[in-house]
Amino acid sequence: MTLRAHRMRFPLSREDALALHAGDQVVIDGEIVVTAGVPTHERLLRCLDGVEPAPLDLTGAALFHLGSFSREGAGGAIELLYLNPTTSTRFNPYMPRLIPGFRLSAVGGKGGLDERCVEAMRATGCVYLSFLGGGCTPLTQAVRRVVQVGWSDMLIHYRLVRLEVEGMGPATVGIDAHGRSLYSELRDQARQRLASIIGELDRQRGGA
């Protein structure tokens, strides 16, 4: 099977998000927002609850679970030194509200998201992009500039950071906006294979 490769502007339009299918490869140009913090996600929920305003406009944004190491310079300027994917499953409790609440067009990281998140993505028209674990160098090299930083009162790696990137990827569409999840399919295949393996072991023991 030949994989479809797309070079696309971010944040994605709804039409572009719907045009992607699980297994497609995507190279990212444009603007993304990154964070790796559970406290950040908790605070974003408070924004949806009206407790405080969001520090930057996330409407339709691409919000990626990419950890960063940065230096803070004069006047609070951020120098981003590297990016690396973090595990998205840590954020399963938050994403079912954040995806529709901010009408996110794309989310991503590594490890996928659970079925509640998949349903929120399908209803919103949002895709999940899987980044190569340990892919620090190519991800960092794609960063052109730090556009905006939100919540400077938080630890630097918990802040929301809007980045301009060029040629980031390729990333794989692990979950598409139609509700197909490669992670669910792989888990189902693994369960089926495990059942077959256990059955064969039982058969062998019975014939011993």
Side-chain angles (χ1 to χ4, degrees):
M1 181 179 67
T2 302
L3 294 176
R4 301 166 59 199
H6 307 262
R7 187 155 188 160
M8 306 184 80
R9 295 294 304 179
F10 278 62
L12 292 171
S13 67
R14 181 175 174 83
E15 291 73 22
D16 283 345
L18 289 169
L20 292 170
H21 296 274
D24 285 354
Q25 300 285 300
V26 178
V27 175
I28 302 166
D29 294 328
E31 290 189 354
I32 64 173
V33 179
V34 303
T35 186
V38 167
T40 317
H41 287 67
E42 293 172 343
R43 196 167 178 181
L44 285 171
L45 289 182
R46 292 199 294 274
C47 294
L48 291 179
D49 291 335
V51 176
E52 64 176 308
L56 45 88
D57 186 6
L58 292 176
T59 306
L63 179 64
F64 293 144
H65 301 136
L66 297 176
S68 62
F69 178 72
S70 303
R71 266 196 306 245
E72 190 165 12
I78 294 292
E79 180 189 3
L80 190 143
L81 301 177
Y82 74 75
L83 285 176
N84 209 37
T86 191
T87 304
S88 294
T89 52
R90 295 190 297 131
F91 309 108
N92 278 331
Y94 313 102
M95 301 310 292
R97 284 194 61 201
L98 295 181
I99 290 167
F102 291 107
R103 302 197 302 278
L104 299 177
S105 60
V107 294
K110 64 179 182 179
L113 291 167
D114 67 14
E115 292 306 314
R116 290 179 61 235
C117 300
V118 172
E119 177 54 30
M121 292 169 60
R122 187 198 62 74
T124 304
C126 175
V127 298
Y128 178 93
L129 299 185
S130 177
F131 293 92
L132 176 66
C136 168
T137 300
L139 290 174
T140 306
Q141 289 175 341
V143 176
R144 293 295 170 263
R145 67 186 180 103
V146 176
V147 177
Q148 191 178 8
V149 179
W151 285 327
S152 58
D153 57 321
M154 300 187 80
L155 293 173
I156 196 164
H157 58 282
Y158 286 167
R159 298 174 190 177
L160 288 171
V161 182
R162 191 188 304 278
L163 299 173
E164 179 185 340
V165 301
E166 183 179 355
M168 177 176 276
T172 302
V173 180
I175 305 169
D176 64 30
H178 306 281
R180 182 185 173 196
S181 170
L182 298 184
Y183 300 96
S184 295
E185 292 177 6
L186 288 170
R187 282 194 296 269
D188 290 344
Q189 291 171 15
R191 281 194 291 265
Q192 292 170 8
R193 187 173 181 187
L194 179 61
S196 175
I197 291 171
I198 292 174
E200 177 62 19
L201 289 173
D202 287 342
R203 186 191 66 78
Q204 293 176 8
R205 282 196 293 267

